[in-house]
């Protein structure tokens, strides 16, 4: 069985493993004070073209989300998110467990729009009895979204403006950021993300790392005490080097972008094959995720050799399926899949 | 500078790195459902000689402590700990952040005793207005303790009995467990720990792993929903294999014990050298930690070549210093240190 | 301006104030250990015909909800509620602030139904990756609901059965319970509520008391440590007598039911007047709340003399308005309102 | 049995009850928007001689403490308190339950001193690995303290200076504030308290009210969203009038001070009687609490007619007992007690 259901089915990029071996017996101080972590921060700051941000490395996406939100909000504040948001549906109540309510906005394509955010924030402001309500204190979005769509630069700017108007922080979950940054239709640079958000992160787990996300904090208020919040939530590894080394390798010479491009190119090959068969995609796809609408027979046929994610029902006879590539997707497996798509 | 200040200054045991490389391109399901994790659990259960326990792998000790405690207690319950307990002093309020009060007991040697625990629990029970107080719901201890001391089997049995008498759970932090299990004076087996506790963990970070602790849950009540609590606290790695592979290697053929023995043997060599110089230890030392009492000159002399942890002041002229060995301590470095101790 | 917008616009029933005066200089122990509180519990147990339940008095509804939920659930569990539920929309994130996610079910009439609850619980159970999700651990409903509708005995029984099947607790918010119990269409007794729920409460604030709700706990697990959880959440009044005296007066000789009947009778008079004018109600109304659909002119006309709650928009020209009566509604004010309704 | 064990054994001052009756049928908006609450705030602001503070009324002291602390701190911050502090020992873990660690300072007389606070804050600042520690973010003290002692103006000023130097907030628990303000040795005015603290409260429960504390918030940061935090913790009464009316009566014409004086005068009479018998007090006593050191016989003799609180053991034969007066203490009961003291 060949797995195409997600982008974390293999280990780490081999350059990372090699570096782990090379450095293995070097003695280093703990808790992120090692030189690998310092280098990793330096390389990322260079990529962002910003020296005044804080960077921290955290083991998982859910952990990053809960720590960022806990460090950003006061108790009476909540988080606006798309109703398809990862923090709403797939984190076992992690955000509520740190005390904050999620304020979902309906979304057809995984994105939220400035207009809807503005309306929610404004309705809160206008409500004289709003002390019965949680105040929107942060806007959370992911880019690419859960369904692989991308924000335009204008959309992000508009969201940033609303956030400023209503004193909300903007937090961008970049678990698959690399795959978005290299997309053909992408307009947004790492510098844009830094400047337009209060805090965002650069996903490693799904893009070359064994585990780890790099949080970039622009907002001074969130910077304060952040490392202590990390410790409090159990996110400071004694051997911080394990995270430092990985991001050092990924950002030293652009490996992160190179492997992101590879993964997206593989996805685009599959997309073309699907289009050739007249198969439609549920969501616009320029990153590493494809959401074809397939009928029962097609699904059954593919499932004989491939593991795919059944994402949602489309209608009585068709379903939306997720096909994921990653930095580790074997080109031969893509060849095989394309051949089998051609037979559908 | 040679580091002797803690037991997490190097990376991972080379066998672990090799296995990471061998398995790197194998596709595996996420979130701990992979075969490496299953094997690791199998090997550990065999070492425990118990099939009916639950085993989970968590990235750090603080994370393990907060998850275990959150999963074990109801809101009105607190945790009895030595006043030198790691959860009390060195986890940035992690336990309080999940809502539970710590109930410290004075401790001279890092250990707590059944008698003192019984007295505290009894005074709570006897207090008719105890609804103003947090109920002791769990006893936390570490073995080896923060100061490297070890519990005897009788001491653990007595604690277990008090816990049963007062409906408290017993939780043993084994961040350095391997170093305790192989100590010359140790009386307690892995099976004993399983049977005498409700939950304990086998530390990997300090004993061969790059990161990771293996939690063993004996108590059915704590087992329920534990994996969801892990997810909620951000502790489920997408690539659960990263933890699974490490513990698979450590427990497949006894590597965990072998490298523990090596570390302790190195510590014992240093201990002998200290004794030869007439230097006293603050705490009984049969594991990988030594706490010699040194005067200012001796410290200055050693600090020229070695990094040591200044642990606490002994009196106006002497301090207690911590010297740590680990599975990764180079034998040559120990030779050098011994030579320099001989010159003190 | 005459207020009909809610049921807490006046103080307390005069018999309560008289009793406060009579007992004022009697010395009593604090924190609910006084004889008034004991009597109040005795009278309520008699009304419930159950001796083995626990009863506690809490100052407000939100406080009651958050304490009950905190005392009932483990960290990975959440609460199923109607999407119109008070805990979801009007409690400033109180439930999330004690760490629990709310799992809303769509509801047209303020009620939730066993079938929908079953479907949600079943979909959780069937999901092999449900550790990414919060487990439904409790079903919350209010009776009467936010829109004044009532559960039939069959509906409650069906919900209880689902709760038992999926190991969920059933919690009934009775902030307006009295007004429901005396409704013409009501089928459910206090005994039924006790037997069919794990925990419920009898609202005082809206029915005769200055403040206070009486929680009835059937489930032994929730009973344990409940008073300590109350203290922990700041709900134990030093002068517990303040709550005890109020419920003593309300339940000594049936005052609670008598004044409930009065309030509902006044509401029914208004309902008849609305029907006479051909005005429709949005929700079935047999308790103290009416939700007429009025056009802009009608609303403007009534608002000259009466304060009403604009509840929701019905369509472009009509809105749903809430008219509330209570134990304290002056019969003359109802006469006046009816006269003015007749002129619409 | 005559109760002298605490200051909440009776109901409310009769003027409050009368006002409740007078206003009972007046219709008022809910949740603190009523005119009584507005008046109460106006009167208190006048007493403080400050217009720019925020005032809120909360039902109990524990509730006030947990709300103030939750509204003041970020997750990584803790609260410095005397080791005799109410929040540490008698609130069932209320502060930990909102996520914050308490940082106790040893105290012989219930007070904490600027020097000790400074030392703790400085040791935190100097620690390069302080991310393992909770940051001191607030200093909590009560005045009068748990043992009835009072802070001098100099002491408070010094504490305020340390708080400013280390970016900590100063929070003064005034559960018995009135009894302190009227003490013979008191140097501190309400205006001083406002200016020297970030937030403090004026206790009502123990001084004339049936329940209720008036929080005075000087710090703009704590003011933000405070009412929503109150709602979130269940502290907003629907009938906010219940609190508003009480503080209106207490502060309209100085009743609060008048009844405080009465209570203290009664305590001073008892103190004199104790001194006449050669009985020593454990703590300096100028407020409504006395802590005489009595032997077993003396205690037994008094306990025949009086209920007293056994506070702590002094030595093998003597104990410290608490005798409390209040606004409600009957002068005749004090006469009786004095007579019986004279017989010891």
């Amino acid at each position: 069985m060949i797995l195409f259901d997600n982008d974390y089915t293999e280990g780490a990029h081999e350059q990372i493993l090699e570096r782990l071996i090379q450095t293995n017996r070097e003695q280093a101080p703990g808790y992120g004070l090692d030189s690998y972590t310092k280098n990793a921060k330096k390389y990322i700051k260079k990529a962002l073209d910003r020296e005044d941000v804080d960077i921290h490395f955290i083991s998982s996406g859910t952990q990053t989300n809960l720590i960022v939100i806990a460090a950003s909000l006061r108790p009476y504040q909540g988080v606006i998110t798309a109703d398809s948001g990862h923090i709403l549906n797939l984190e076992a109540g992690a955000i509520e467990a740190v005390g904050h309510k999620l304020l979902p906005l309906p979304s057809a394509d995984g994105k939220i729009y400035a207009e809807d955010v503005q309306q929610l924030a404004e309705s809160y402001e206008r409500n004289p009895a709003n002390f019965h309500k949680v105040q929107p204190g942060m806007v959370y979005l992911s880019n690419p979204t859960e369904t692989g769509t991308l924000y335009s630069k204008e959309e992000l700017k508009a969201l940033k403006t609303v956030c400023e108007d209503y004193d909300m922080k903007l937090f961008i979950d970049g678990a698959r950021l690399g795959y978005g940054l290299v997309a053909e239709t992408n307009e947004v640079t790492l510098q844009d993300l830094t400047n337009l958000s209060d805090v965002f992160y650069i996903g490693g787990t799904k893009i070359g790392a064994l585990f780890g996300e790099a949080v970039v904090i622009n907002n001074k208020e969130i910077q304060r005490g952040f490392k202590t919040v990390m410790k409090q939530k159990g996110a400071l590894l004694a051997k911080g080097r394990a995270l430092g080394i990985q991001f050092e390798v990924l950002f030293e010479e652009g490996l992160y972008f190179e492997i992101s491009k590879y993964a997206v190119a593989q996805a685009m090959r599959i997309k073309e094959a699907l289009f050739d068969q007249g198969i439609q995609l549920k969501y616009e796809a320029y990153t590493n995720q494809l959401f074809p609408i397939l009928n029962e027979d097609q699904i059954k046929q593919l499932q004989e050799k491939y593991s795919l994610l059944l994402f949602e029902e489309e209608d009585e006879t068709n379903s939306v399926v997720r096909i994921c590539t990653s930095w580790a997707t074997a080109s031969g497996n893509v060849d095989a899949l394309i051949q089998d798509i051609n037979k559908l």
Side-chain angles (χ1 to χ4, degrees), chain A:
Chain A
M1 186 70 61
I2 300 169
L3 311 188
F4 277 106
D5 33 8
N6 62 53
D7 30 20
Y8 41 83
T9 48
E10 285 87 359
H13 193 276
E14 277 72 11
Q15 287 186 33
I16 286 175
L17 295 180
E18 281 158 27
R19 190 69 59 87
L20 285 176
I21 290 168
Q22 281 165 27
T23 58
N24 193 45
R25 291 279 169 167
E26 292 174 8
Q27 290 196 311
Y31 298 104
L33 301 173
D34 59 277
S35 62
Y36 319 108
T37 299
K38 284 176 189 160
N39 281 338
K41 292 183 182 183
K42 193 180 68 184
Y43 296 138
I44 292 176
K45 284 183 181 181
K46 207 176 153 200
L48 304 174
D49 201 19
R50 281 279 297 272
E51 280 302 317
D52 60 339
V53 294
D54 272 7
I55 294 173
H56 297 278
F57 302 109
I58 298 181
S59 299
S60 81
T62 295
Q63 197 172 44
T64 308
N65 290 333
L66 75 89
I67 289 171
V68 165
I69 290 170
S72 297
L73 297 184
R74 295 194 54 212
Y76 60 92
Q77 297 181 314
V79 185
I80 295 175
T81 172
D83 59 3
S84 53
H86 200 269
I87 54 172
L88 187 66
N89 301 311
L90 288 168
E91 303 193 349
I95 309 309
E96 292 86 354
V98 294
H100 297 286
K101 195 184 190 73
L102 297 173
L103 307 167
L105 279 182
S107 166
D109 58 357
K111 289 159 68 175
I112 51 174
Y113 294 92
E115 202 179 84
D116 297 328
V117 171
Q118 198 271 346
Q119 203 172 321
L120 197 160
E122 178 62 25
S123 83
Y124 173 85
E125 288 297 329
R126 263 191 325 224
N127 182 352
N130 61 11
F131 50 79
H132 297 296
K133 300 271 184 185
V134 162
Q135 187 197 41
M138 178 173 253
V139 171
Y140 163 94
L141 56 89
S142 51
N143 188 48
T145 65
E146 289 295 306
T147 47
T149 50
L150 289 167
Y151 283 86
S152 74
K153 196 163 169 184
E154 278 317 300
E155 288 166 348
L156 282 185
K157 276 187 178 170
L159 282 162
K160 176 65 175 167
T161 302
V162 176
C163 284
E164 285 172 354
D165 289 352
Y166 291 89
D167 198 14
M168 299 184 293
K169 297 181 175 82
L170 183 55
F171 171 30
I172 300 174
D173 171 337
R176 294 188 172 94
L177 189 59
Y179 299 137
L181 289 174
V182 304
E184 184 194 331
T185 54
N186 179 57
E187 306 174 345
V188 180
T189 64
L190 270 178
Q191 294 93 315
D192 293 335
L193 288 168
T194 314
N195 298 330
L196 290 173
S197 75
D198 292 274
V199 52
F200 77 100
Y201 65 96
I202 303 171
T205 301
K206 288 164 179 161
I207 310 180
L210 192 56
F211 64 100
E213 321 290 305
V215 191
V216 179
I217 312 179
N218 195 4
N219 181 307
K220 300 293 170 205
E221 206 182 315
I222 306 176
Q223 288 177 4
R224 264 193 71 204
F226 194 86
K227 194 167 180 178
T228 309
V229 181
M230 284 175 58
K231 175 73 187 182
Q232 185 179 84
K233 306 305 185 195
L236 267 197
L237 295 187
K239 297 179 181 170
R241 66 197 290 155
L243 286 159
I245 288 167
Q246 295 189 78
F247 279 93
E248 192 186 15
V249 172
L250 288 171
F251 280 86
E252 210 168 17
E253 293 178 349
L255 180 64
Y256 187 74
F257 302 99
E258 189 185 307
I259 62 179
S260 293
K261 272 181 207 153
Y262 170 82
V264 172
Q266 298 303 325
M268 293 305 100
R269 287 174 61 206
I270 302 169
K271 178 166 108 170
E272 214 182 304
L274 291 165
F275 281 172
D276 288 349
Q277 286 301 98
I279 293 167
Q280 288 198 305
L281 298 184
K282 178 72 179 179
Y283 306 104
E284 226 184 42
Y286 291 94
T287 71
N288 71 318
Q289 296 188 90
L290 305 171
F291 294 87
I293 303 169
L294 300 175
N295 63 37
E296 225 170 282
D297 276 354
Q298 293 172 323
I299 294 172
K300 205 174 277 180
Q301 225 171 302
L302 290 177
Q303 281 181 334
E304 279 170 32
K305 280 173 60 182
Y306 309 97
S307 173
L308 309 169
L309 185 73
L310 287 173
F311 196 71
E312 56 193 7
E313 285 188 16
E314 176 67 9
D315 53 40
E316 276 174 40
T317 51
N318 295 286
S319 291
V320 179
V321 156
R322 184 173 78 169
I323 298 175
C324 250
T325 63
S326 82
W327 63 275
T329 301
S331 167
N333 286 344
V334 174
D335 295 342
L337 177 61
I338 287 172
Q339 275 193 318
D340 288 312
I341 287 170
N342 291 341
K343 294 182 201 151
L344 290 179

